[in-house]
Amino acid sequence: MRHTALAACLCAAAASAFAQPQPACAAAEHRQFDFWIGTWEVTTPDGKVAGENRIEAIANGCALLENWQGRSGFSGKSVNIFDRLDRRWHQEWVDSSGLRLTLAGRWAEGRMLMEGTLPNVDKPGQTVQHRISWTPAADGSVRQLWETSADGGKTWNVAFDGKYVRKK
């Protein structure tokens, strides 16, 4: 009987030693932005093609990499990650105009919403708030709305409004 108990303990120890560890980004929050993964044609509200965006999971599914190519030649990239310490999503955007924008936010009310602030290049000492939302639609498309405010959020102007449709 002792040998059987010892053998069972050894088998359990060996099984746990060879078990695969839980992936670092396995929690449901890490999947909240997965609706954006894919290759997309992006159009403006008037139906004109604005460009193409390819979103892919990277770093063992812990982050998303965005690859934007605008029709005019403008390009940009972002890295997006859910930070389990502060429980928020973060995006670091860089583009061919030299812009670097850091955003943070959450999934709420059926959309991803992130915000950030940059210095106002037209008015030294002042800032511009940036607010970007991504809203998945029932047909599989995604609306991205980028708004800016130079008056502390009292009024907002649309910087970009795009509809993402998956490329076939």
Side-chain angles (χ1 to χ4, degrees), residues 86-108:
D86 72 2
R87 315 285 306 154
R88 297 181 342 155
W89 277 88
H90 296 267
Q91 180 182 95
E92 191 71 29
W93 164 264
V94 294
D95 64 37
S96 59
S97 76
L99 178 69
R100 179 184 61 85
L101 178 60
T102 300
L103 303 167
R106 290 185 166 74
W107 171 261

Side-chain angles (χ1 to χ4, degrees), residues 3 10 23-24 52 68 82 94 119 151 154:
H3 296 296
L10 289 173
E52 180 179 299
W68 168 258
F82 178 77
V94 294
D151 60 9
K154 292 176 188 150

Side-chain angles (χ1 to χ4, degrees), residues 129-147:
Q129 291 176 260
H130 294 258
R131 175 172 74 186
I132 305 177
S133 63
W134 296 262
T135 307
D139 66 1
S141 67
V142 174
R143 180 184 185 202
Q144 180 184 8
L145 180 61
W146 184 340
E147 300 170 288

Side-chain angles (χ1 to χ4, degrees), residues 99 101-102 115-131 147-157:
L99 178 69
L101 178 60
T102 300
E115 298 177 306
T117 303
L118 285 175
N120 188 332
V121 295
D122 298 324
K123 297 179 182 175
Q126 296 184 21
T127 60
V128 176
Q129 291 176 260
H130 294 258
R131 175 172 74 186
E147 300 170 288
T148 60
S149 175
D151 60 9
K154 292 176 188 150
T155 60
W156 291 90
N157 298 305

